[in-house]
Structures are given as structure tokens and as C-alpha cells.
Amino acid sequence: MPHNRAGKVLLNCDMGEGHGVWQMGQDEQLMPFIDCANIACGFHAGDPGVMRTTLTLAKKYGVEVGAHPGYPDLQGFGRRKMQLSATELRDCLHYQLATLCGMAKVVGTQVTYVKPHGAMYNQMMQDDSIMQVIMAAVADYPESLELMIQATNQYSEHAEIAKKYNLTLRSEAFSDRAYMDNGQLVPRSQQGAVLAKDAAIKQCHSILQQGQVGSVSGNTLSLQVDSICIHGDTPDALAIVQGIRNKR
Amino acid sequence: MPHNRAGKVLLNCDMGEGHGVWQMGQDEQLMPFIDCANIACGFHAGDPGVMRTTLTLAKKYGVEVGAHPGYPDLQGFGRRKMQLSATELRDCLHYQLATLCGMAKVVGTQVTYVKPHGAMYNQMMQDDSIMQVIMAAVADYPESLELMIQATNQYSEHAEIAKKYNLTLRSEAFSDRAYMDNGQLVPRSQQGAVLAKDAAIKQCHSILQQGQVGSVSGNTLSLQVDSICIHGDTPDALAIVQGIRNKR
Amino acid sequence: MPHNRAGKVLLNCDMGEGHGVWQMGQDEQLMPFIDCANIACGFHAGDPGVMRTTLTLAKKYGVEVGAHPGYPDLQGFGRRKMQLSATELRDCLHYQLATLCGMAKVVGTQVTYVKPHGAMYNQMMQDDSIMQVIMAAVADYPESLELMIQATNQYSEHAEIAKKYNLTLRSEAFSDRAYMDNGQLVPRSQQGAVLAKDAAIKQCHSILQQGQVGSVSGNTLSLQVDSICIHGDTPDALAIVQGIRNKR
Amino acid sequence: MPHNRAGKVLLNCDMGEGHGVWQMGQDEQLMPFIDCANIACGFHAGDPGVMRTTLTLAKKYGVEVGAHPGYPDLQGFGRRKMQLSATELRDCLHYQLATLCGMAKVVGTQVTYVKPHGAMYNQMMQDDSIMQVIMAAVADYPESLELMIQATNQYSEHAEIAKKYNLTLRSEAFSDRAYMDNGQLVPRSQQGAVLAKDAAIKQCHSILQQGQVGSVSGNTLSLQVDSICIHGDTPDALAIVQGIRNKR
């Protein structure tokens, strides 16, 4: 399994989310510490120049590249729910996968997986019919791509569906988000939803070393986690990856 | 030479230039009569759905697909000159080539050549430094793509430059534009610049059968022509292709 | 009441919904027959040139101008539901109202009402909290603007809410849509949802002359109707307005 | 003269140049120190939310508001030359003026002048025909707006032209750019083109106190300067304004 090199849980981070003159995140600082870069494809963020720069940076550090497609909503950064038809969603995904896969070849690297962004990711996790459209679109794309989704208690059901599409899944947990006993994230509206730096590092260590995510009430969750998501746009991101990983 | 099947001059037409709900041209009517479809890539026209529909239509009629990249200017349909840096132009091309090449694979066809659109095409023909950036970008793209440019008296010089990039050129003449003795088009500002239907059909026949373009003063030009461009957004387009070609 | 000149029910039509080179509807043909033009503001359709042209056309025929704001979604023509925050929706409205009001002054006319477009209109009619955000935004705008909404059985409740904002409402019925006994439209998924030309003309006459909308089961609905919406992008639009109105 | 309160040279700064989640500059830090905010109108930067926020901030500190329109080129931040027709340029200006003027009224302030952005500014200073289109568009706008242009040796000629349009001009010098003896800026390609912090503060003091701009060769230029432009996106911007102005 390339995404879990010898059973190792991998660090993934959203990257290439600037646009034109506008910067986002700390791609150059973080890239040496992570395993997988989810690179924006131009719809919610990114543009031709940003994509090339980010792909080149990923290649330099031997970081695996994932496509990070979003809704066509630059102004809202792909964070606003949009109701696309199944056909529109499929086409919108294929367009973005095509763009990043092609640009990756231009710089001499390749895309190996897909992780939807923002509202598209959330709607995928909340609505099975949307997840199936996404699964079908990724499976139908004429390159071998895996799909990264959130690690939840429904993971085995999702894996069942994915099997129908001959699609390999990856599951991710969040480095800096607190978990409830049911395996869901503590909503951002509640206190303690976002972990401070030290708690985030501790949560990462627990996942990396024992393969375990703990809940806020102190229980151990039975989530299968292939990858940990680092939120690159938070100030602590660098401290967190430095706390758990050596630079390449 | 795939673009000149056994010495045959091919008909090309810009296609897929709608956007969202907005239509352009007569793609469905024209596709059965042409050989090569220059398909817009989303920057001056086209979108994920339009691209898939147009690629599918091209495949249905066995029509060869070219990428038709333009400047990022939907409002101006890519017809307004823009001054991109060499890096911006290259990235803007690679992005659009990637998108169409990938989408073509999704529907089971492939892109074999590139023809820049509108202001980008005009600037390429007027400025050798821009032509070289475009040549380099097409040559560097990791699929085998030819470049379609205008048939002019400078064609052999352009071919010399293309050779440096290991790039194969195609030259096109225009079905409905009058030519001056120097091989340039009569400017649109002058009377007689655009040929009426019958004159256009006659010009096409002359190119297709004798391989010759005539000038307004009655001379025969020594232009090498691999392809004839049909302007799909003019009312006579269908009559012209019907006048010179059988439906597939 | 300017929108109901001496009790007269007015005809309104969406206009200015082209973008760049792309056309939509039959603005020039229809403008002489209608009373109110709902003009797109650049987010779902329209652009600076299209707006000026359409405003100028409205002025020429003495047609009242309404702002027709939509979601920022050119590709989807503002027909896809988007979940904007209350703040985003307000700002998105004020931006579009500002644009059209200012451009109207440039050509020497003025905007007197607002009719949301597409998904924004539908979400307004389905969700009172969205309607209130829209009402507040229109009321807060520093020019006197009325709000056009759909004529339904809930109209008096909507008018109550509008009163809180000191906002004057206009209600519209649709010329070519069949009504159910509860005053709602027959869903497009059902047969008979869209009226053919003659039935549409008959429905318009009934509203214009008796002030009455009939349901598919033959009952007379008690809808208050200030205006009738003509769908300008349907082929019958011109025949319908010609069937009920003299040209100016 | 509102733009030169009792002969005082005013500080202007480009503001509101973020877009969606993307930030630009240090608007909150700089606003208390400046007199005039040139606020982006959504084409090269800015969006409905950013515009409202920036207008509100300007109002809070009693800062005069100018419209800062640019080319429709978010990806290129309006810095790439575009060739718009006179009609397109006029409409593109009126649209942006309308938007900012209307949004300004929403927050309870007003727009008093216009300063074109980036490539539009540069093309205006290089091409008199473009300057005349811009002058006419600003003069035709149905609110009283002045036009800010660069202080050069051609200023009196520009003022002559402006008089034809009944347009009041403002001239600006740059705080951190070195000047040649002919009153033009030292090109960025040359060493010393951009002044370091202390030299910039010195240049500002010279303009503010003696009304004089010095050239790199030590001569005093006879430029008329109504306003000094602070580049808000440079790291030294805050130090420069703090060095010459008290906070409000």
C-alpha cells in the first residue's frame, strides 16, 4: 500500500491554496515534514502558476501528491455548500483531476489519490449519494487514484461501497480536532473542538505509535487511520509537524 | 502525417465554445462534416460539462481533437490582448492542455494538436518571442502534440524554429477570408475581407483540389496549407461544409 | 403604487442575461411589450457591457428597471443552491444592487425594485430566514427599492414581515406555469407543469382582466398578483406578450 | 479643495485588496495614519465582504475613499496589460465605480475620487487615448469624482485635457520610488529604483514640508504633488507612515 508505507501512518496537508498574488499557508516550511500534499486544482484555490510551484515543491521533497478538488467558488474558498447535479459534480471532478494529473506530469511527478475540499468533503461525508458520485468519478478517471475520506465509525460501510467501484480508500484523522465517543468530531461551535498545540502533538503521537485516537471523554476509539491531516493554515502547523517528524 | 491523411487537407473548426447555459456555434450540425475539432479549454470559453459533451460528440464522429487554449478572459472571449509573462503563458497553456487531454481520456479519445485561440493566436503570429514560448510549452507537454499556426509566407521560418523544439507544425488557411498577394489576410476593416458563402466554397475547393490559395488580385499564393479553418459561429458555416464535404 | 399603475397588473421579464459574447433571450424583441425588466447584475449573468445595453434598451421603451441579483455562479447560471451566510448574502446583494443602481444612473434611468434570481429566489420562497436577510438587505439599501416575490398563499405573512422592514412587496405569478389548489406551482417533474402558448395567454388574460389565477383542477385561487412573469428564454415568450399586449 | 485640505499634501494607500479568504496588505494598521484609501472594486481584487469591511474601516478613521478600479483579472491582480476597447474600458470603469459608490453609501460614507490600478494606471500614463477614455468615464459618472494620476512633467498637459471634461485632477508622487531628472520613476530594473525605509521617509518629508521631490542626481523636480502614495503591501509601509504621521 503506497499510502501506508509498511504500515506507517502518513501525514497529509492541504497545499497550493494561494491564488495569483495571494498566499495561503506555509507550504515551503511544511513540505519537508509531510508525506502527502493535497494540492488545490484551481476551482476553490490554486491557479496554473501556484499549481506548478506546489507540484515542484512536492517533487523536491519526495512528497506524494493528491488532487484536492473543490467547488467552483473562489470567493467562498469552496467552503460554501453548493448543490451540483450528479453530472455537474462528476464533470467538475474530472476537470480538476485532469488538470492536476497533467500538470504533475509536466513537472515529473504524479497524482496518486484524491481528497475533496471543504464543503464538497463535508457533503460527501454527510450524504451517501454524493459520496457515490465522487467514488464513481474517481474510479472512472483513467489513472489509478485512491480516495481519501474521513475516518469514522461508518468506514467499513464506505469501504463496502468503494469495493463496488474497485476503488481503494484512505482514511484520515485530524491532528487538531477533538473526537466524541461516536467517532465524530466535536463541533466547532463547542468548547474544546480544536486542540491546542501540545494536545494536537499528543493526539498525533497516539495515532502514529499506537494507531489509536482518543475521545474527549478518555475512551479509545476504534477508528482505522491511514493518514493524519495537518491543517497548514493554522499558526501551530509547523510546531506540530516538527513535534512529530524529522525534516527530510 | 495523421493531420493530413494521405495528403488530404483537413477541415478544422472551433468547438465547445459555450459556457454554462450559454451556447455558441452549431457543434452538433457541423461535427459530422469536419475532420478536426479545436475544443475550448475553459479559460476563454468551455467548462467541464461543455468540454465533456464536445469531446463525446467528436468521438462519435471520429473527429480528431485539438486543444484550443485561450487567455483567462471569459468576459472578453479571449479576444483581448493580454500581456502575460513567458512563465504565465507557459503555465496557462499547460493547465489548459492538461485539462483537455485528461477529459479526452475520460471519454475515450485523445488530443493530438494545439491551436491557440483569439488574441493568443494573433499575438503568436505577430510576435516570434510569443510563438517560441508557445512552441516550447507544447513541445514540453508530456504527450505528443502538434501545433497549428496560420499559413503565411513566413511558414518555413516558423518551421525552422519548431524544429529546434522537435515540434511538428500544421498550417491552416481560412475558408472565408480574402488573401492579399503577400499571403496575409485582407484586414477586416477593408471591404471584401470576409468572403460570402459561394466565394468561400470556391476558395475551399481550390485549396482542397489544387492545394492553392488565390489572392484578391487573382494571383496564386504559394502557401502550404494542411488544414482549412471553418468559422463555426458564422451563419454560412454549415452551407460551406456541406458544399465541400459529405456527412459522415 | 408605481408598480401597479392604477391597478394595472404589470408584465415583468428577466433581461440582460447574456455574458460577453454569449446571448440569452430576446431582449430587443420583448422589451417593447413589457412593463418591468429584471436586469442581471453580473454574478449569475450580465457584465458591464450587457448591463449598459439592457438598461439603455429599457430606458428607450420606458420600461421600469428591477435589479435581478443572483448567486456568484456564472457556470451554473445562479441556478444551483449555495449556502451563503447571512453576512455573505447581504453583501452579495448590496454589491449587485449598487452596481445596477449606479449603471442605471449612468444611462439616465433608475432601479425601483429587486427580484432575486434562480436558486436565490427559490431559497427565499422556501426559507423564511433567507427571505428576512433579503428583505433587510433591500430595506437597508440607501435607495428606495421594493422587493418582488412569488404570489402564494403565504403572501399576507410575507407582507407582515416586510412591514417590519418598512419594505414594500410586489407579488408575481408565472405566465406559463400551472398552479395547484394550494397556490403552489405544479412541480416541473409533473406533466402539465409548463403551459403551452395558448394556455399561457389564457392564464395571463385571466390575471390581467379578472385578477384571478386558476388551478389545474379548475378552481380559482385567491392569490394577489401585482405582476406577471414572462420567461424570456422560452420560444413562446414573444407570442405570449404579443397575445396580451400592444407594442409601445 | 477637499483633496488638499488647506494645502496639505495627503497620504493615499491602496486598500481592500484581499479576496475571499485571502488577505493583502495591512489595512487595519495603516488606516489610522493615512488620509485617502484607494479601495479595490472587485475586478483585480476585493469582493463584496472585503469592500464593506474596508469601507467601514475608512469611515471609522475619517479616511477619504477613492475607487481603485482595475482590469478584470483576479489571477493577474490587474497587473497584466489588457487591450480593452474604449467602450469596454468605459463600461468596466462605470461598473466598478457604481459598485464602490453604492457600497460606500450602504456603510455611510462616500467616494470622492478615482485612482486606476496596476496595468490600467500604467497604460493611462503611457497612452493619452486611454487617459481620455478614463477621464471621460469618470467625468460622465453621475457623482462628483476627481481623478488621481501620477505627478509628471506632463501634468499641465493632462490638466488641460481634464479641463475639457470638467474633471478635477489630483497628482500623486510615490513615497518609496526614486525619481529621474525628467520627473519619471527610475525603472524597477535599475538599482536604487525602490527607496529603503529611511530614504522613503526623507522623500515624504521633503514633499510634505517643502513641496519638493528630489531626483537621484540631487536636483529638485518641479512636480506638483497633491498626494503621496504609500505602498501598503511592502513591509516598511507602517514604519514609513509612522515616521511621517501621527495616528488618528
Side-chain angles (χ1 to χ4, degrees), chain A residues 71-72 82-89 92 120, chain C residues 80-81:
Chain A
Y71 286 132
M82 286 183 75
Q83 200 175 72
L84 272 61
S85 71
T87 301
E88 288 174 327
L89 180 52
C92 155
M120 190 192 283
Chain C
R80 307 191 282 206
K81 274 192 193 176

Side-chain angles (χ1 to χ4, degrees), chain C residues 218-233:
Chain C
N219 290 315
T220 296
L221 302 174
S222 59
L223 299 179
Q224 185 198 319
V225 177
D226 300 321
S227 190
I228 297 176
C229 178
I230 307 293
H231 287 115
D233 51 352

Side-chain angles (χ1 to χ4, degrees), chain C residues 41-43 47-49 51-52 90-92 94-95 98-99 102-103 105-106 141-143, chain D residues 41-43 47-49 51-52 90-92 94-95 98-99 102-103 105-106 141-143:
Chain C
C41 305
F43 271 36
D47 67 29
M51 284 167 68
R52 177 190 301 266
R90 179 200 61 184
D91 293 349
C92 156
H94 282 163
Y95 183 105
T99 305
M103 293 288 280
K105 280 176 212 146
V106 169
Y141 192 77
E143 299 192 27
Chain D
C41 305
F43 271 36
D47 66 30
M51 283 166 67
R52 177 190 300 266
R90 179 201 61 183
D91 293 349
C92 155
H94 282 164
Y95 183 104
T99 305
M103 293 288 280
K105 281 175 211 146
V106 170
Y141 192 78
E143 299 193 28

Side-chain angles (χ1 to χ4, degrees), chain A residues 97-216:
Chain A
L97 299 186
T99 305
L100 195 74
C101 288
M103 293 288 280
K105 280 175 213 148
V106 170
V107 308
T109 183
Q110 64 170 325
V111 178
T112 52
Y113 67 98
V114 180
K115 173 180 161 181
H117 167 83
M120 190 192 283
Y121 185 94
N122 294 335
Q123 290 183 275
M124 169 182 78
M125 294 310 303
Q126 286 156 12
D127 183 335
D128 274 0
S129 70
I130 292 179
M131 185 177 276
Q132 296 212 27
V133 172
I134 294 174
M135 285 181 171
V138 175
D140 284 352
Y141 193 77
E143 299 193 27
S144 179
L145 298 170
E146 305 187 350
L147 176 66
M148 187 180 286
I149 67 171
Q150 190 181 340
T152 66
N153 285 340
Q154 286 75 50
Y155 186 69
S156 59
E157 296 151 46
H158 294 146
E160 274 307 303
I161 308 175
K163 210 180 279 178
K164 288 197 311 181
Y165 296 101
N166 272 323
L167 182 69
T168 303
L169 294 185
R170 304 182 182 198
S171 61
E172 67 167 353
F174 296 104
S175 57
D176 61 354
R177 291 296 300 276
Y179 280 84
M180 300 191 291
D181 282 344
N182 66 0
Q184 297 290 312
L185 302 175
V186 174
R188 281 184 185 273
S189 53
Q190 288 180 30
Q191 236 193 343
V194 177
L195 302 180
K197 188 178 64 177
D198 290 342
I201 293 176
K202 202 179 147 202
Q203 176 152 304
C204 291
H205 273 135
S206 167
I207 298 170
L208 292 167
Q209 287 155 13
Q210 290 102 43
Q212 289 178 347
V213 186
S215 77
V216 282

Side-chain angles (χ1 to χ4, degrees), chain D residues 168-202:
Chain D
T168 304
L169 293 186
R170 304 182 181 198
S171 63
E172 67 167 353
F174 296 103
S175 57
D176 61 355
R177 290 294 301 276
Y179 280 84
M180 300 190 291
D181 281 344
N182 65 0
Q184 296 291 312
L185 301 174
V186 174
R188 281 184 185 274
S189 52
Q190 288 179 30
Q191 235 194 344
V194 177
L195 303 181
K197 189 178 66 176
D198 291 341
I201 293 175
K202 200 178 148 202

Side-chain angles (χ1 to χ4, degrees), chain A residues 229-248:
Chain A
C229 177
I230 306 293
H231 287 116
D233 52 352
T234 58
D236 288 337
L238 193 58
I240 293 172
V241 293
Q242 286 172 334
I244 53 179
R245 274 288 165 82
N246 294 321
K247 195 168 179 169
R248 285 207 188 82

